[in-house]
Amino acid sequence: MNKEMFGKKKKKNEINIGNANRGPVFNFDNEAQNFNAQNPFPKPPTSYMENPPFNQAAQNPFPNPYQTEQNIFPPPPNVYGAPINNGQNSYFPPPPGYVPPEKQVDPNGIRAMEGVPFRQKNRAPIIRLISTIMFVFAIGFLSYYIYSLVANRPEQYDTIKKATVGQTYDGDAFIVRDETVFDDEGITDIYYVAKEGSPVSRTDLISYVYTSGYSDKERATLQKFRDRIKQYQLELLASENIFDEKMDRLVEDVNSKAVEVRNVMHGEEGNIMNIEKSLAQAIDERQAYFREKYAEDQKLSRLYDDESTQLKRIESWKKQNHATSDGIVSFYTDGYEYGIDINKLDEISTSDVRRYLNGEKPDEPAGRKGKIDIYRMVNNNDWFVLMLIKDKTWNPVQGSELTLTLKQFSNITVKATINSFLRSGDTLLLRLRIKAPVDQVLYSRSCSASIGQYADALSVSEKALHKQDGAVGVVVLSETKKLFVPVEIISQEKGLVYIKPTFNNTLYEGQSVLMF
């Protein structure tokens, strides 16, 4: 059968309809008598249309193909009988010698090419083996590459830095100094001797005060007498025929001291008070020599008497002010010095401090009316701050020492001790005592501030932490050695860790530590 189907060349006018699964081959030459030469597709006989052999639904579920004139194939002749129902829905009878496909031999794989699957060799185990080997190789290579990067990476280091950690509270501060104001009434003029803001000792001369009765007229009169004395002395010197070496030296000394005073007043370095004292001493020495040399001159003696009388008048109106204690002297006051007593700070309420911060001054004591402030003496190393903080949860501890920062043109940071505190609603009043130089707040009264309890610490990168024998620490580089130092962690944020050594004097600022 195979030789007849596939070994011979197809005859002319022989058409293979379908594939092996579709069934038989139809030969038009054998059935040419059934076709009309003029119409190769004649209309089927009436017997087929009325009672076709394929219109039984039980035998063939498909509709009858011979019901229209457009069908291209005529019905098969009656000699073949009913169509073969071999599961392929073929309407054509098998040719002579037909062999079903399942019994045919296909050594050349023709059926596979015509749509019939054929059995292939199972190569999946080999492919899976190759894939597994390649995957293992890739994993090994990647692991080696990562290890080589880590193993050959140079060591990285960090430097220990000094830091502070703690909780901060912001508020408004009112500064109270331990200061005493000296005043007087009936003052017409003040001559300051001490320098503004300078430290002075007890009994140092601060200023001269001229009271009522003294006026500029009295000093003008004194200056007139002195001008007359000077003019007459010049006349006496001009009348001298013999050179007086001592007098020439005293006059030169006075002139040189006067030049030094002028230069310092124009910006040159020097202590003006010391130079003025030297000038006054040189003038006194020259005047004393004049009196000695011209003691017999009546006119000069009379001029000296007029000057002395006028000086006594002026001295009767002049008072000297001396320091009563050590401290800082200042000639500026702001009106808050009288109404606030440092010994009664506990009596000051939250509302009082708020009024002071708003610019309202305390009431002055009785007897202040008509008096003029001359100067104030300020304790150099003891002052206070009244601070208002908006906070409901903080419970400060009386006597504890905190860090206070006064925010002015340049921030001032000092240690402050809580003397007492008062809570009023959501406002907390802290009464703080500061033992620090007062010159940094000598002219300040109020400002914003922050206070907190800070602890000194050291900061390093969090990558510098290392565990060894269950302890956390850092590895310090000491020359060629690496030393593990255990630490205590205070806090950690933004890639930094704040630490302190477990044992004192084992870590310092500036040391290098290894990073992991």
Side-chain angles (χ1 to χ4, degrees), residues 87-144:
Q88 305 300 324
N89 295 326
S90 174
Y91 293 105
F92 301 99
Y98 171 77
V99 179
E102 59 271 12
K103 296 182 179 181
Q104 296 179 9
V105 179
D106 187 17
N108 298 321
I110 301 301
R111 251 189 295 149
M113 293 188 295
E114 293 181 352
V116 177
F118 62 95
R119 194 174 190 85
Q120 298 181 355
K121 294 182 179 180
N122 189 3
R123 300 180 180 179
I126 299 177
I127 296 175
R128 284 198 297 267
L129 178 61
I130 295 174
S131 300
T132 303
I133 294 174
M134 293 180 65
F135 178 76
V136 173
F137 176 77
I139 293 297
F141 177 78
L142 182 62
S143 301
Y144 175 78

Side-chain angles (χ1 to χ4, degrees), residues 16-287:
N16 186 2
I17 300 176
N19 53 27
N21 294 331
R22 296 289 298 271
V25 176
F26 185 81
N27 193 325
F28 287 95
D29 293 336
N30 297 333
E31 304 296 333
Q33 68 274 11
N34 294 328
F35 293 90
N36 189 295
Q38 296 179 355
N39 184 9
F41 302 102
K43 186 176 180 179
T46 307
S47 60
Y48 278 88
M49 298 301 293
E50 294 176 352
N51 188 20
F54 316 109
N55 202 21
Q56 284 77 21
Q59 295 180 359
N60 185 14
F62 296 95
N64 193 340
Y66 305 110
Q67 294 180 0
T68 62
E69 297 181 358
Q70 284 76 17
N71 291 315
I72 62 172
F73 298 111
N78 292 333
V79 293
Y80 295 108
I84 298 175
N85 188 10
N86 61 351
Q88 305 300 324
N89 295 326
S90 174
Y91 293 105
F92 301 99
Y98 171 77
V99 179
E102 59 271 12
K103 296 182 179 181
Q104 296 179 9
V105 179
D106 187 17
N108 298 321
I110 301 301
R111 251 189 295 149
M113 293 188 295
E114 293 181 352
V116 177
F118 62 95
R119 194 174 190 85
Q120 298 181 355
K121 294 182 179 180
N122 189 3
R123 300 180 180 179
I126 299 177
I127 296 175
R128 284 198 297 267
L129 178 61
I130 295 174
S131 300
T132 303
I133 294 174
M134 293 180 65
F135 178 76
V136 173
F137 176 77
I139 293 297
F141 177 78
L142 182 62
S143 301
Y144 175 78
Y145 178 74
I146 295 175
Y147 172 78
S148 63
L149 289 179
V150 175
N152 298 327
R153 185 184 65 180
E155 292 183 335
Q156 295 182 346
Y157 308 97
D158 191 19
T159 302
I160 297 178
K161 300 178 181 63
K162 191 174 181 180
T164 55
V165 292
Q167 179 67 37
T168 302
Y169 301 91
D170 296 327
D172 297 315
F174 183 79
I175 300 171
V176 180
R177 292 175 288 268
D178 181 9
E179 53 194 352
T180 303
V181 178
F182 294 87
D183 54 10
D184 204 347
E185 56 185 354
I187 297 177
T188 58
D189 196 8
I190 302 175
Y191 177 72
Y192 299 106
V193 177
K195 186 179 180 180
E196 165 65 28
S198 63
V200 295
S201 301
R202 186 175 180 273
T203 70
D204 284 353
L205 180 62
I206 302 298
S207 64
Y208 295 111
V209 176
Y210 296 93
T211 59
S212 59
Y214 171 80
S215 65
D216 293 338
K217 182 180 178 181
E218 300 296 337
R219 184 162 290 279
T221 302
L222 175 63
Q223 188 61 41
K224 183 178 65 174
F225 291 149
R226 287 177 172 175
D227 291 341
R228 290 177 181 177
I229 293 172
K230 180 180 178 180
Q231 183 63 33
Y232 187 65
Q233 288 176 343
L234 292 175
E235 292 177 1
L236 291 176
L237 290 176
S239 63
E240 287 287 341
N241 295 323
I242 302 174
F243 176 72
D244 190 341
E245 182 179 357
K246 183 177 181 179
M247 179 63 71
D248 186 69
R249 179 176 56 80
L250 291 174
V251 171
E252 181 63 26
D253 193 19
V254 171
N255 293 336
S256 63
K257 298 296 182 184
V259 171
E260 289 183 18
V261 171
R262 183 185 63 187
N263 292 340
V264 171
M265 294 182 66
H266 283 80
E268 288 189 6
E269 294 184 0
N271 191 321
I272 186 65
M273 296 182 64
N274 293 337
I275 298 176
E276 285 181 345
K277 288 181 180 180
S278 299
L279 175 60
Q281 183 178 358
I283 293 175
D284 291 341
E285 290 178 359
R286 187 189 64 176
Q287 292 299 328

